[in-house]
Amino acid sequence: MNETLQDSLRPYIEKLDSHQIYKRLCSIQQLRIFMEHHVFAVLDFMSLTKGLQNEFAPITKIWTPPKNAKIARFINEIVLAEESDVMPPNYGQQNYLSHFEIYCLAMEEVGANCLPIKRFIEDIKLNSSLDLGQLDYLPFAAKKFMETTFSFIEQGHIHEIAAAFCFGREKIIPIMFKAILDEIQIAREEAPMFHYYIERHIEVDGDVHSHLAFEMVHSLCQDDALKLEQTKEAAITAITARSQFWDEVSSLCEKAST
């Protein structure tokens, strides 16, 4: 499964690895545009994660042992870091925050518009079954990206959700974020929390997590030909959605430079 699947996904990952968006973060204005869109991907990542946690480490009134303790530990580790990670040293009285909240702090730090994401959070609290198409305040590119994510969660089998999580997030996030650090022309002093967020993700989403994510997918598929094909299609869909997301955000950043 490993080599065959990796080979089929390589062209899509390489396209993402060399995307032009990483060269577009040349000014604070461009960074604001990037963050105002990307924050929605930061948010919907947790929906994928929670879907997997519900499968491998569900919260029930009466506990029973997990189906797979190794994967349950992996998912719980992801949730621990994502929902309550350490803050930078000497950052006020707040020692722990979710990655999403850290990202929102980074947005406020550079003057990005946080109103759409805050409104979206409030709408979710009122109605978790939102029709994204009806929310006209959402950035168009972010809306399209989230529609792909939520289609996995609402309609996909668990191995398809795992594929979107593994290949659409855990495998590619370190690659993308390393590219951002290599290309960004905004100094740490100008956006310290953004740099911290990116570096922290590279640190926690390294080889161990990506390996365990792949192991999770393998345990769900085994040698089932149909599941393997569905896993490949889900992975391609997730990676392609990210590439299209970056295409549209990159175009907006380029326009901001003229």
Side-chain angles (χ1 to χ4, degrees):
M1 173 182 172
N2 191 354
E3 290 185 6
T4 302
L5 184 56
Q6 296 282 27
D7 287 344
S8 64
L9 297 180
R10 187 168 291 114
Y12 301 93
I13 294 175
E14 288 177 351
K15 179 181 178 181
L16 195 58
D17 187 25
S18 59
H19 201 283
Q20 59 188 349
I21 194 169
Y22 312 124
K23 300 180 185 296
R24 296 280 187 248
L25 304 182
C26 304
S27 69
I28 290 294
Q29 177 59 22
Q30 289 168 317
L31 180 59
R32 288 172 185 152
I33 293 169
F34 174 86
M35 297 182 78
E36 288 164 5
H37 288 78
H38 181 232
V39 67
F40 291 93
V42 175
L43 177 67
D44 77 357
F45 169 77
M46 279 308 297
S47 296
L48 282 174
T49 305
K50 286 295 188 177
L52 292 169
Q53 188 183 39
N54 190 52
E55 174 72 15
F56 291 104
I59 298 173
T60 57
K61 290 183 179 180
I62 300 176
W63 179 85
T64 55
K67 301 174 186 178
N68 185 314
K70 189 174 184 179
I71 295 176
R73 180 180 177 86
F74 162 59
I75 291 298
N76 286 335
E77 282 182 357
I78 295 289
V79 172
L80 175 66
E82 289 290 336
E83 288 192 323
S84 55
D85 204 5
V86 294
M87 291 291 286
N90 304 318
Y91 188 83
Q93 300 298 313
Q94 192 74 51
N95 296 322
Y96 304 99
L97 273 182
S98 69
H99 283 172
F100 172 76
E101 290 167 300
I102 292 172
Y103 200 89
C104 289
L105 286 177
M107 290 179 68
E108 291 173 358
E109 196 173 63
V110 300
N113 182 11
C114 296
L115 291 179
I117 188 64
K118 288 181 178 179
R119 183 175 175 184
F120 187 54
I121 291 291
E122 291 304 313
D123 283 346
I124 291 172
K125 290 177 181 177
L126 294 172
N127 180 12
S128 60
S129 301
L130 291 173
D131 180 356
L132 297 181
Q134 300 299 313
L135 305 181
D136 57 6
Y137 60 85
L138 293 176
F140 177 73
K143 183 187 298 187
K144 283 177 59 181
F145 183 78
M146 286 194 295
E147 285 174 342
T148 300
T149 302
F150 290 127
S151 70
F152 286 121
I153 297 167
E154 295 167 3
Q155 303 167 22
H157 301 290
I158 192 62
H159 57 276
E160 294 172 312
I161 298 173
F165 176 86
C166 174
F167 301 106
R169 304 294 176 117
E170 288 297 304
K171 285 279 188 182
I172 64 173
I173 283 176
I175 294 171
M176 294 188 304
F177 285 2
K178 285 176 183 175
I180 287 175
L181 282 187
D182 288 343
E183 299 290 348
I184 194 169
Q185 297 183 35
I186 300 163
R188 180 186 300 275
E189 294 74 18
E190 296 179 88
M193 195 62 74
F194 179 75
H195 277 264
Y196 175 78
Y197 174 89
I198 296 294
E199 290 167 354
R200 184 65 181 150
H201 262 75
I202 293 171
E203 180 182 350
V204 300
D205 292 334
D207 292 338
V208 174
H209 278 182
S210 61
H211 175 75
L212 287 172
F214 184 84
E215 195 172 304
M216 173 180 60
V217 173
H218 179 70
S219 73
L220 289 168
C221 294
Q222 296 297 329
D223 296 319
D224 187 310
L226 176 60
K227 287 184 178 179
L228 289 171
E229 182 61 28
Q230 290 172 335
T231 291
K232 183 180 80 170
E233 292 303 317
I236 291 173
T237 297
I239 298 170
T240 301
R242 175 74 70 163
S243 289
Q244 292 172 344
F245 186 33
W246 279 174
D247 287 345
E248 292 167 15
V249 177
S250 178
S251 177
L252 294 172
C253 288
E254 184 178 21
K255 290 177 182 176
S257 67
T258 59

